[in-house]
């Protein structure tokens, strides 16, 4: 598309998307030339020095460019210019309306976040989409239709069983409705309460409908623990039967029984990919989860030594469970259960039960960190070309991944550990999620693409969010542009809210009336 036509097109698009912006104000052409940046263009190609011109929300020039007379310029010497990061698994659905500036997200370089993961989405989608169009956020947003959400629409509270054929037909119909209301595809969370009762054929039926509209299937599979391999095989068979591209959410081997089996897990996926299954995955860059003390005992027998022993064994031992907050006894905080057991001359199981009882007596529960993965598995997953970066966090997430995911990968996995090159890490944050979503015009720096851009310092970029302080913002992300507007600058949100709701082809949606 030529420069002029692009500008005209953008004008129409912008005016249609933001009716308050008059044609008159759009007539004064403004552009910005970003000079001297090292370009990581999103494709994974080696970095190169180049300038980038943006105007009317788009990238309109890349290469050796000189400033036009009076044109605004930005000297980006020493900084990397990359496409804005796309977080395909983000839980900001509700928080976004309370916190549309989303500082914890844009401060990481995220310019588009995708909600509706794990089978749980807003409903009806159209109402949520319209609200977001009327009160835009600082960044772009896309949404999936949740399988569990739709299942509950059809089955109500009677969901603890397989669906009948007539119910599945209704779920197909609602999936079609959601796809017409800008859903990017179908998401599922088969390990959770509502989704877990569904049979494979129910998911296949709904995924087929999503596929017809160009959607994908994004899934938190049925098991990430001892039955991980069965769950993976079910997922692949859904992809094959429904002929739908797959996004495997937060790829994980979550218990001691499967730790270290990443090579075998990867082999199953590679074999499926060779058979033509369009399989990609995302992985959050942390080896631990944050929750409450009791969550580790699935049968809820918190004072039964047998159940507690099995739970601690699955975690790889009591040393993998650390108390973060416990108001009845602050002295426990910062210590793991194995250490506390030694101090108090108890067995690990006895110590756990004591923590449960002390908590119950005070009508509270300890906050804990548990180990979910081992580093060699995370590294193996991150080094697969089909694995992208995603947070599984979001605004106000109590886990450091909510505010730290993308800088953590750049600062720790790239700069400190050398697991990935910088261009490859950027590809995993940009063009790979864009490819998964079938977006041609985001996730890459080239003429004609939307100007979602991030400028960061490769020598300093780092996360600061920890389990004790999960809301601390990252540093080293210097400037962030969304649809050409500066939203993050020198450690602060600018207050601009140029975000769009993005549909199946990556375009700003015009679904306004
Ligand atoms: Zn999940």
């Amino acid at each position: 598309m030529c420069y002029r036509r692009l500008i005209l097109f953008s004008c129409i698009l912008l005016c249609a998307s933001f009716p308050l912006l008059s044609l008159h104000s759009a007539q004064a052409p403004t552009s910005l030339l970003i000079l001297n940046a090292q370009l990581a263009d999103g494709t994974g190609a080696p970095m190169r020095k180049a300038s980038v011109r943006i105007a009317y929300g788009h990238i309109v020039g890349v290469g050796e460019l000189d400033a036009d007379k009076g044109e605004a310029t930005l000297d980006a010497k020493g900084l990397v210019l990359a496409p804005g990061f796309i977080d395909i698994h983000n839980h900001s659905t509700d928080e976004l309306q309370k916190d549309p500036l989303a500082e914890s997200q844009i401060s990481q370089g995220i310019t588009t976040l995708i909600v509706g993961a794990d089978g749980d989405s807003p409903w009806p989608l159209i109402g949520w989409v319209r609200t977001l169009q009327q009160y835009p956020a600082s960044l772009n947003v896309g949404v999936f239709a949740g399988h569990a959400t739709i299942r509950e629409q059809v089955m109500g509270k009677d969901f603890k069983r397989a669906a009948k054929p007539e119910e599945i037909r209704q779920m197909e119909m609602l999936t079609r409705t959601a796809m017409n209301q800008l859903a990017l595809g179908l998401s599922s969370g088969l390990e959770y309460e509502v989704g877990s009762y569904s049979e494979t054929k129910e998911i296949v039926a709904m995924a087929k409908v999503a596929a017809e509209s160009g959607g994908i299937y994004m899934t938190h599979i049925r098991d990430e623990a001892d039955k991980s391999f069965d769950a993976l095989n079910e997922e692949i068979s859904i992809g094959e039967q429904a002929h739908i591209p797959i996004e495997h959410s937060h790829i994980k081997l979550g218990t001691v029984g499967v730790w270290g089996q990443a090579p075998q897990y990867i082999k199953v996926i590679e074999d499926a990919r060779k058979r033509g299954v369009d399989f990609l995955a995302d992985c959050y860059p942390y080896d631990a989860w944050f929750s409450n003390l009791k969550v580790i005992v699935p049968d809820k027998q918190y004072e039964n030594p047998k159940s507690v022993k099995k739970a601690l064994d699955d975690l790889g031992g009591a040393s993998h469970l650390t108390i973060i907050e416990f108001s009845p006894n602050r002295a426990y905080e910062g210590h793991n259960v194995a250490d506390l057991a030694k101090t108090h001359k108890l067995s690990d199981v006895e110590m756990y039960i004591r923590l449960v009882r002390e908590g119950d007596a005070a009508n509270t529960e300890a906050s804990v960190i548990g180990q979910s993965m081992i580093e060699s598995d995370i590294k193996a997953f991150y080094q697969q070309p089909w694995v992208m970066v995603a947070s599984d966090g979001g605004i106000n997430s109590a886990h450091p991944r909510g505010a730290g995911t993308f800088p953590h990968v750049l600062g720790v996995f790239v700069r400190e550990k050398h697991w990935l090159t910088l261009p490859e890490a950027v590809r995993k944050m940009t063009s790979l999620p864009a490819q998964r979503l079938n977006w041609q015009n985001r996730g890459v720096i080239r003429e004609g693409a939307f100007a979602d851009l991030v400028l960061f310092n490769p020598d300093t970029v780092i996360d600061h969010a920890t389990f004790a302080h999960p809301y601390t913002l990252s540093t080293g992300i210097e400037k962030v542009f969304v649809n050409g507007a500066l939203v993050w600058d020198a450690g602060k949100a600018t207050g601009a809210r140029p975000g769009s709701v993005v549909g199946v082809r990556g375009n700003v949606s015009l679904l306004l009336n």
Side-chain angles (χ1 to χ4, degrees), residues 294 297 299-309 349-350 352-361:
K294 291 177 175 173
V297 185
D299 66 7
K300 300 186 170 54
Q301 306 282 307
Y302 310 115
E303 298 190 26
N304 176 342
K306 237 176 105 188
S307 297
V308 171
K309 179 165 189 321
V349 169
E350 288 163 346
Y352 180 91
I353 293 171
R354 174 166 163 172
L355 283 160
V356 168
R357 286 183 182 152
E358 286 184 22
D360 285 351

Side-chain angles (χ1 to χ4, degrees), residues 89 91 117-118 192 220 224 249-250 252 392:
H89 193 117
H91 289 288
D118 296 331
Y192 295 119
H220 173 145
E224 296 178 329
S249 296
H250 42 63
K252 190 185 298 167
D392 192 13

